[in-house]
Amino acid sequence: PNVFSPVLKMLSAILLPLLVAGFFYYMFDPVVVFLEKRKIPRVYGYILTLVVLVVLAVLAIMNVIPQLAEQTIQLTKSLPMYAEETSKWLNELAQREEIKNFNIEEQLASANLSLSNLFNIILVSLSSSVSKVFSFMMQFFVLLFTVPFILLFMFKDGHKFIDALAKFFPQGIRGEVRQTVKELNETLSAYISSTIVDAVIIGIMSFIAMTIFKQPYSLLLAVFCGITNIIPYVGPFIGAVPAVIVGLFVSPFQALYMALSILVIQQLDGNVIKPLLFGKNMNMHPLTIILV
């Protein structure tokens, strides 16, 4: 494995920018197609889209990112306090008659674990992740400078890919291959762009709900809800867990408010927002999406 390690690293360094560029290509393609229908060439449409994205990214870096960083630091500093409160709560729970015979510490000790060890493991894991964050940032800046140029050529010459691919098939089915690949590209583009827009909407709605109920770390938790919403089926549940746990440390009612808020948002998302987004962008009637 050590012999092939440099080769694998080189392949990953090459493939990762291509995969990221491909993702953004499908995400931006509906916007570029929209501009193309307004007589704006694809390359110029891409450049215009990129400029708007850069402006939005700069605004986010100036306004949103500092708040996210501040809330992340505050949450990290609060982890020992949360751990201590959890330990006290478990000890109080252990004193109740109905579960007095069930000793959590003994059960963990039988598995060579303890509450303090578990919390130490969590804190050590967070500390060791600093080097991983640094590595990720380096990789991020590499992608930041390579992906836009790859995207430029994708939007400039991407339409030639279908004809080039069709040449590998017999003459009689090349027309069907072109049509199939074209429909696949349109469907994939519609799905990715709709998913991203849906995640942004969920993040904004979650932030509004958390702000109304004065939830701590509202921006950070709302962003997490939006990102995890991209994951099918289990994503919304994963996004809800941190918000409910943090709310629980405020009060049981706060945790209940968070759970109900996210439940209402997900119901709106599943029954109204997604059918409208996916139905419109994927040429399917919203009623079809709801029934499916």
Side-chain angles (χ1 to χ4, degrees):
N2 293 332
V3 176
F4 296 102
S5 180
V7 178
L8 293 174
K9 288 182 178 180
M10 182 180 69
L11 287 175
S12 66
I14 296 172
L15 290 177
L16 185 61
L18 289 175
L19 289 173
V20 174
F23 175 82
F24 281 109
Y25 173 82
Y26 284 116
M27 189 171 74
F28 294 146
D29 190 56
V31 180
V32 175
V33 170
F34 174 82
L35 294 174
E36 191 176 20
K37 291 178 180 178
R38 270 67 184 173
K39 308 301 182 183
I40 299 178
R42 287 181 63 84
V43 174
Y44 296 127
Y46 158 69
I47 293 174
L48 180 61
T49 305
L50 182 63
V51 169
V52 172
L53 181 67
V54 169
V55 171
L56 292 176
V58 170
L59 292 175
I61 291 172
M62 292 174 61
N63 298 284
V64 179
I65 301 300
Q67 295 183 50
L68 281 175
E70 182 182 355
Q71 291 188 9
T72 303
I73 293 171
Q74 290 176 357
L75 181 59
T76 304
K77 291 180 178 179
S78 300
L79 285 177
M81 181 189 68
Y82 288 156
E84 184 179 351
E85 289 184 13
T86 304
S87 180
K88 289 180 180 178
W89 179 78
L90 291 173
N91 289 330
E92 291 175 1
L93 188 65
Q95 299 302 317
R96 295 192 175 185
E97 290 295 332
E98 56 269 21
I99 55 172
K100 204 166 186 178
N101 295 328
F102 183 80
N103 193 312
I104 298 175
E105 293 282 357
E106 288 181 1
Q107 296 296 324
L108 291 174
S110 65
N112 294 322
L113 294 171
S114 67
L115 290 176
S116 59
N117 286 338
L118 287 174
F119 295 137
N120 286 334
I121 289 171
I122 294 172
L123 292 175
V124 169
S125 299
L126 289 173
S127 301
S128 63
S129 65
V130 173
S131 60
K132 294 180 181 179
V133 170
F134 178 76
S135 175
F136 169 79
M137 292 302 296
M138 292 295 294
Q139 198 171 44
F140 170 77
F141 283 111
V142 171
L143 294 175
L144 189 64
F145 288 101
T146 56
V147 168
F149 292 102
I150 297 174
L151 268 174
L152 177 64
F153 289 106
M154 280 185 171
F155 280 110
K156 180 177 179 293
D157 301 320
H159 61 283
K160 299 177 182 178
F161 172 76
I162 297 177
D163 293 330
L165 181 65
K167 293 179 181 179
F168 290 95
F169 293 87
Q171 185 73 31
I173 63 170
R174 286 182 182 178
E176 295 181 6
V177 170
R178 289 191 186 95
Q179 185 62 27
T180 302
V181 174
K182 181 181 178 182
E183 292 178 357
L184 179 63
N185 282 338
E186 291 175 353
T187 303
L188 189 58
S189 178
Y191 178 78
I192 291 177
S193 59
S194 298
T195 301
I196 297 301
V197 172
D198 182 56
V200 172
I201 293 173
I202 294 301
I204 293 173
M205 292 175 67
S206 300
F207 177 69
I208 293 172
M210 292 178 185
T211 303
I212 292 173
F213 291 110
K214 298 180 180 179
Q215 171 81 344
Y217 320 113
S218 56
L219 181 61
L220 178 63
L221 295 173
V223 169
F224 185 75
C225 285
I227 293 174
T228 55
N229 196 72
I230 297 174
I231 305 171
Y233 305 114
V234 298
F237 298 101
I238 296 173
V241 170
V244 174
I245 291 176
V246 172
L248 193 60
F249 284 107
V250 177
S251 72
F253 287 106
Q254 183 73 9
L256 180 62
Y257 295 151
M258 287 299 98
L260 291 176
S261 298
I262 294 174
L263 178 62
V264 170
I265 290 171
Q266 289 304 323
Q267 289 300 311
L268 286 172
D269 182 47
N271 294 291
V272 179
I273 300 172
K274 276 184 178 176
L276 289 175
L277 281 176
F278 286 79
K280 181 179 179 181
N281 293 335
M282 299 181 72
N283 296 320
M284 294 176 67
H285 196 279
L287 181 59
T288 305
I289 302 289
I290 292 172
L291 294 175
V292 170

